[in-house]
Amino acid sequence: MAKILVTGAAGFIGSHTSDLLLAEGHAVVGVDNFRTGRRENLSAALHSTGFTLHELDVAVPGALAKLVAAEQPDAIIHLAALVSVQESIADPALNFSLNVHASQFVAEAARLHGVNRVVFASSAAIYGDAAERPIRESAEKRPVSPYGAAKLAAEALLLGHGACYGFTVRCQRYFNVFGPRQDPSSPYSGVISIFARCDREGRPVTIYGDGRQTRDFIAVRDVARANLLAATRPGVVSGAANICTGRATSLLDLAGIFAARHAGAAAPVHRPARAGDIVHSLGDPAAAAAELGFTARMGVAEGLAELINGPAVPVLS
Ligand code: UD2
């Protein structure tokens, strides 16, 4: 069993990743500064003897390295980030600090204290509006936001440090992640979290554009498993892989799944397409299967059922 340090442990993906690591018997050192993470996301983890929580800002020079020196984790899963593309556009300096500088501190902590593996939360945003479909890892990277640019820069920093100083780096290029604990409160929150809130409150959903745009939606429990594999699977070598399903769902299909739950549900409201909105985003999952042994198990319908009704099977804590 391994000791894994998870940055952003109180966040959406971080809390699910921590829960899964603990359920599999690993020790988890959770780190969060609670800028966007929430303590209630860790309500299960905090009951586990294998879990410790440290309130710490990864972007503060030396802070993480000090903790890594004391804890000596086998691996770091670096999920702490500024997570909104729109916020990165509004505040590119903060984006640089949280998404580039902090990643450099992770690389430095790994180098100084002999961490074997670093897993990094990258994003489909590094590809920009890629012409290729499905998108393979070799596709041209033309980020169109400070967020995408920072994720691409951080990938390069971590991979370069890993190659030079001898630790394994896995860059996880997440597509559209959804599931329980995703915060629906901003207009730029994930569309499924917004639709789920409309569903709970009996309000019609808003579709930007004609609704024919498609996304590769992946359930957060699958993403947590991809992180577990990247951090702990024996024989994994450095690289970057899409974390996606390889299946496209249109916004119209998505709205239809919610509408089918209620007879006489109000029809979706259509608004003009968002500026800069990508029309189609679909990942090729082959590299993650080959390099990590990861294949997504949950489809959109199943993931939505879990989001709305709770897990079909008890989740170990
Ligand atoms: C996702 C990521 C983003 C970045 C990007 C890379 C999320 C939340 N965001 O942005 O971080 O990695 O991919 O390409 O995963 N929509 C509606 N109605 C709503 C809300 C959204 O129609 O109420 C549409 C929106 O216009 C877009 C689609 O739903 O066409 C998905 O939007 P999103 O904000 O969930 O995610 P996306 O793909 O823009």
Side-chain angles (χ1 to χ4, degrees), residues 83-85 123-126 128 147 174-177 182 187-192 194-195 198 205-209 211 213-215 217 251 254 273-274 277-279 281:
V83 296
S84 158
V85 173
S123 166
I126 67 166
Y147 176 83
Y174 306 138
F175 278 63
N176 287 63
V177 187
Q182 190 169 30
Y188 302 108
S189 297
V191 63
I192 289 182
I194 295 175
F195 281 14
C198 290
V205 301
T206 298
I207 293 181
Y208 298 111
Q213 69 267 47
T214 58
R215 292 293 184 273
F217 292 107
L251 267 285
L254 195 60
R274 282 174 169 176
D277 208 19
I278 292 172
V279 181
S281 174

Side-chain angles (χ1 to χ4, degrees), residues 77-99:
I77 303 181
H78 177 43
L79 307 174
L82 178 150
V83 296
S84 158
V85 173
Q86 297 303 319
E87 192 178 5
S88 83
I89 294 168
D91 194 344
L94 183 65
N95 170 68
F96 184 81
S97 170
L98 302 190
N99 287 347

Side-chain angles (χ1 to χ4, degrees), residues 21 38 41 69 71 86 114 118 148 242 284 293-294 312:
L21 289 166
R38 288 177 299 178
N41 287 346
E71 292 284 354
Q86 297 303 319
V118 174
N242 295 333
D284 183 336
F294 170 73

